[in-house]
Short mmCIF file of all heavy atoms in Angstrom, two decimals:
data_model
loop_
_atom_site.label_atom_id
_atom_site.label_comp_id
_atom_site.label_asym_id
_atom_site.label_seq_id
_atom_site.Cartn_x
_atom_site.Cartn_y
_atom_site.Cartn_z
N VAL F 153 110.08 130.64 66.39
CA VAL F 153 109.70 131.01 67.75
C VAL F 153 108.68 129.99 68.21
O VAL F 153 107.64 129.82 67.57
CB VAL F 153 109.12 132.43 67.81
CG1 VAL F 153 108.68 132.78 69.23
CG2 VAL F 153 110.14 133.46 67.31
N THR F 154 109.01 129.27 69.30
CA THR F 154 108.21 128.08 69.63
C THR F 154 107.62 128.16 71.04
O THR F 154 108.12 128.88 71.89
CB THR F 154 109.10 126.83 69.52
OG1 THR F 154 110.24 126.98 70.38
CG2 THR F 154 109.57 126.62 68.09
N PRO F 155 106.53 127.41 71.27
CA PRO F 155 105.78 127.51 72.53
C PRO F 155 106.21 126.49 73.56
O PRO F 155 107.01 125.59 73.28
CB PRO F 155 104.35 127.21 72.08
CG PRO F 155 104.55 126.17 71.01
CD PRO F 155 105.84 126.55 70.32
N TRP F 156 105.63 126.58 74.76
CA TRP F 156 105.99 125.71 75.87
C TRP F 156 105.17 124.42 75.87
O TRP F 156 105.51 123.47 76.57
CB TRP F 156 105.77 126.41 77.20
CG TRP F 156 104.45 127.11 77.30
CD1 TRP F 156 104.19 128.44 77.09
CD2 TRP F 156 103.17 126.52 77.59
NE1 TRP F 156 102.84 128.71 77.24
CE2 TRP F 156 102.20 127.55 77.54
CE3 TRP F 156 102.76 125.23 77.90
CZ2 TRP F 156 100.84 127.32 77.79
CZ3 TRP F 156 101.41 125.00 78.15
CH2 TRP F 156 100.46 126.04 78.08
N ASN F 157 104.08 124.37 75.08
CA ASN F 157 103.20 123.20 75.26
C ASN F 157 103.71 121.95 74.59
O ASN F 157 103.43 120.85 75.02
CB ASN F 157 101.78 123.54 74.81
CG ASN F 157 101.71 123.91 73.33
OD1 ASN F 157 102.68 124.34 72.74
ND2 ASN F 157 100.53 123.72 72.74
N LYS F 180 114.11 130.40 68.89
CA LYS F 180 113.84 131.02 70.18
C LYS F 180 112.76 130.19 70.89
O LYS F 180 111.58 130.32 70.58
CB LYS F 180 113.33 132.45 69.97
CG LYS F 180 113.56 133.43 71.14
CD LYS F 180 112.89 133.09 72.43
CE LYS F 180 111.39 133.24 72.42
NZ LYS F 180 110.82 132.89 73.77
N ALA F 182 110.33 128.79 74.08
CA ALA F 182 109.62 129.44 75.18
C ALA F 182 110.50 129.45 76.42
O ALA F 182 111.22 128.49 76.69
CB ALA F 182 108.31 128.72 75.47
N SER F 213 112.07 137.52 75.16
CA SER F 213 111.25 137.19 73.98
C SER F 213 111.05 138.37 73.06
O SER F 213 111.18 138.26 71.84
CB SER F 213 109.88 136.67 74.42
OG SER F 213 110.03 135.52 75.20
N PHE F 231 106.24 130.47 63.46
CA PHE F 231 105.83 130.71 64.84
C PHE F 231 104.70 129.76 65.22
O PHE F 231 103.75 129.56 64.44
CB PHE F 231 105.37 132.16 65.00
CG PHE F 231 104.74 132.47 66.33
CD1 PHE F 231 105.51 132.55 67.47
CD2 PHE F 231 103.37 132.67 66.44
CE1 PHE F 231 104.93 132.84 68.71
CE2 PHE F 231 102.79 132.97 67.66
CZ PHE F 231 103.57 133.04 68.80
N THR F 232 104.75 129.22 66.41
CA THR F 232 103.61 128.53 67.03
C THR F 232 103.37 129.17 68.39
O THR F 232 104.29 129.24 69.21
CB THR F 232 103.87 127.04 67.20
OG1 THR F 232 104.02 126.43 65.92
CG2 THR F 232 102.70 126.38 67.94
N GLY F 233 102.13 129.63 68.58
CA GLY F 233 101.80 130.27 69.85
C GLY F 233 100.50 131.02 69.73
O GLY F 233 99.64 130.71 68.90
N SER F 234 100.34 132.04 70.57
CA SER F 234 99.08 132.77 70.61
C SER F 234 98.87 133.59 69.35
O SER F 234 99.82 134.06 68.71
CB SER F 234 99.08 133.71 71.82
OG SER F 234 100.11 134.67 71.66
N GLU F 255 101.23 129.06 63.23
CA GLU F 255 100.35 128.05 63.84
C GLU F 255 99.85 128.67 65.14
O GLU F 255 100.57 128.70 66.13
CB GLU F 255 101.12 126.77 64.11
CG GLU F 255 101.64 126.09 62.86
CD GLU F 255 100.52 125.52 61.98
OE1 GLU F 255 99.36 125.52 62.44
OE2 GLU F 255 100.81 125.12 60.86
N LEU F 256 98.63 129.18 65.13
CA LEU F 256 98.18 130.04 66.22
C LEU F 256 97.12 129.34 67.07
O LEU F 256 97.09 128.12 67.18
CB LEU F 256 97.70 131.36 65.63
CG LEU F 256 98.74 132.05 64.73
CD1 LEU F 256 98.19 133.33 64.12
CD2 LEU F 256 100.03 132.34 65.48
N CYS F 289 96.69 123.39 70.90
CA CYS F 289 95.91 124.28 70.02
C CYS F 289 94.79 123.54 69.32
O CYS F 289 93.92 124.14 68.70
CB CYS F 289 96.80 124.96 69.01
SG CYS F 289 97.69 123.79 67.98
N GLU F 386 89.75 130.63 73.73
CA GLU F 386 90.56 129.40 73.74
C GLU F 386 90.88 129.06 75.18
O GLU F 386 91.57 129.81 75.87
CB GLU F 386 91.84 129.59 72.94
CG GLU F 386 92.69 128.33 72.85
CD GLU F 386 93.92 128.49 71.99
OE1 GLU F 386 94.52 129.57 71.97
OE2 GLU F 386 94.29 127.49 71.32
N PHE F 388 92.54 126.44 76.64
CA PHE F 388 93.95 126.05 76.83
C PHE F 388 94.19 125.52 78.25
O PHE F 388 95.17 125.86 78.91
CB PHE F 388 94.92 127.19 76.54
CG PHE F 388 96.06 126.75 75.64
CD1 PHE F 388 95.83 126.46 74.31
CD2 PHE F 388 97.35 126.61 76.13
CE1 PHE F 388 96.87 126.05 73.50
CE2 PHE F 388 98.39 126.20 75.32
CZ PHE F 388 98.16 125.92 74.00
N1 LIG J 1 98.83 127.34 68.84
C1 LIG J 1 99.49 126.77 69.80
O1 LIG J 1 99.93 125.63 69.73
C2 LIG J 1 99.71 127.53 71.03
C3 LIG J 1 98.83 128.50 71.42
N2 LIG J 1 99.04 129.19 72.55
C4 LIG J 1 98.08 130.21 72.97
O2 LIG J 1 98.81 131.31 73.53
C5 LIG J 1 98.34 131.55 74.84
C6 LIG J 1 99.42 132.08 75.71
O3 LIG J 1 100.45 131.09 75.79
P1 LIG J 1 101.90 131.59 75.71
O4 LIG J 1 102.91 130.56 75.89
O5 LIG J 1 101.99 132.80 76.59
O6 LIG J 1 101.98 131.94 74.18
P2 LIG J 1 102.83 133.10 73.57
O7 LIG J 1 102.31 133.26 72.20
O8 LIG J 1 102.91 134.26 74.46
O9 LIG J 1 104.33 132.47 73.51
C7 LIG J 1 104.69 131.59 72.47
C8 LIG J 1 106.14 131.89 72.13
O10 LIG J 1 106.23 133.24 71.71
C9 LIG J 1 107.22 133.93 72.49
N3 LIG J 1 106.85 135.34 72.55
C10 LIG J 1 105.98 135.95 73.39
N4 LIG J 1 105.91 137.26 73.11
C11 LIG J 1 106.76 137.49 72.07
C12 LIG J 1 107.15 138.63 71.30
N5 LIG J 1 106.65 139.83 71.54
N6 LIG J 1 108.05 138.47 70.28
C13 LIG J 1 108.55 137.26 70.03
N7 LIG J 1 108.24 136.15 70.71
C14 LIG J 1 107.34 136.26 71.71
C15 LIG J 1 107.21 133.21 73.80
O11 LIG J 1 108.41 133.43 74.50
C16 LIG J 1 107.09 131.77 73.32
O12 LIG J 1 108.36 131.34 72.89
C17 LIG J 1 97.82 130.20 75.30
O13 LIG J 1 96.92 130.38 76.37
C18 LIG J 1 97.16 129.71 74.04
O14 LIG J 1 95.90 130.33 73.90
C19 LIG J 1 100.17 129.01 73.32
C20 LIG J 1 101.06 128.01 72.96
C21 LIG J 1 100.89 127.19 71.80
#
Side-chain angles (χ1 to χ4, degrees):
V153 178
T154 56
W156 47 262
N157 61 336
K180 205 297 290 181
S213 299
F231 172 72
T232 296
S234 63
E255 296 293 351
L256 306 177
C289 58
E386 183 176 35
F388 228 70

